Amino acid sequence: KIVRIAAEKITDETLMQLEENIKLMEITGRDISYYVDKDTEFHDMILKSTESLVFEIMLSSVNELLRESRKATLRGGGIERACKAHLEIFNALKAHDPDLSEKQMQQHLKNAEEDLKASGNSI
């Protein structure tokens, strides 16, 4: 739902910031915390573009859990996979296509779930 609303409301400025975020996340050889921060920023920008305080409040309660989950999925080799998914989500958002944005986000979340299970983490 969040990404569908974002697809309709996202601004050119936020799209530029998302594109920059993806480029920064593609830089190799950084500490895992760097990638977790970039991943978090990517999703936060999408969330904020909905202009929905309700969504922000709702997700703020699970921020720390999401951060630990991201760390586990990215540590297990998921950085390249996340970058590819972020680019696909970005392209759908840039096209202002709610259906494609939702499809790409669902695939990204499915990949993250698979990576989390593969990491052996029980978050």
Side-chain angles (χ1 to χ4, degrees):
K1 181 79 175 166
I2 289 171
V3 77
R4 292 185 68 81
I5 294 168
E8 294 170 358
K9 291 187 168 191
I10 201 158
T11 64
D12 288 344
E13 181 182 349
T14 302
L15 286 167
M16 285 178 13
Q17 292 170 346
L18 286 173
E19 189 172 32
E20 179 70 15
N21 173 280
I22 292 166
K23 287 177 183 171
L24 290 172
M25 195 168 172
E26 289 173 339
I27 296 170
T28 58
R30 300 279 179 110
D31 182 80
I32 191 68
S33 300
Y34 171 84
Y35 299 107
V36 172
D37 289 345
K38 292 297 157 205
D39 189 68
T40 301
E41 287 170 13
F42 180 85
H43 289 276
D44 284 350
M45 284 187 268
I46 294 171
L47 175 63
K48 288 186 186 324
S49 71
T50 67
E51 301 171 358
S52 171
L53 188 57
V54 172
F55 286 144
E56 288 190 48
I57 291 168
M58 200 170 65
L59 287 177
S60 70
S61 65
V62 293
N63 271 346
E64 192 54 39
L65 184 60
L66 287 172
R67 187 165 182 79
E68 289 304 311
S69 171
R70 285 180 174 119
K71 191 182 294 183
T73 59
L74 294 172
R75 185 180 288 127
I79 295 168
E80 186 177 321
R81 193 175 189 186
C83 287
K84 182 179 181 294
H86 285 188
L87 185 58
E88 290 168 350
I89 294 164
F90 166 78
N91 287 328
L93 289 168
K94 188 174 180 182
H96 298 281
D97 185 332
D99 293 333
L100 185 57
S101 296
E102 181 177 36
K103 178 183 174 206
Q104 298 297 356
M105 184 62 79
Q106 285 177 340
Q107 183 61 52
H108 179 41
L109 295 175
K110 182 175 178 255
N111 293 349
E113 182 180 3
E114 289 170 2
D115 292 342
L116 186 61
K117 285 178 182 173
S119 77
N121 205 310
S122 62
I123 292 177

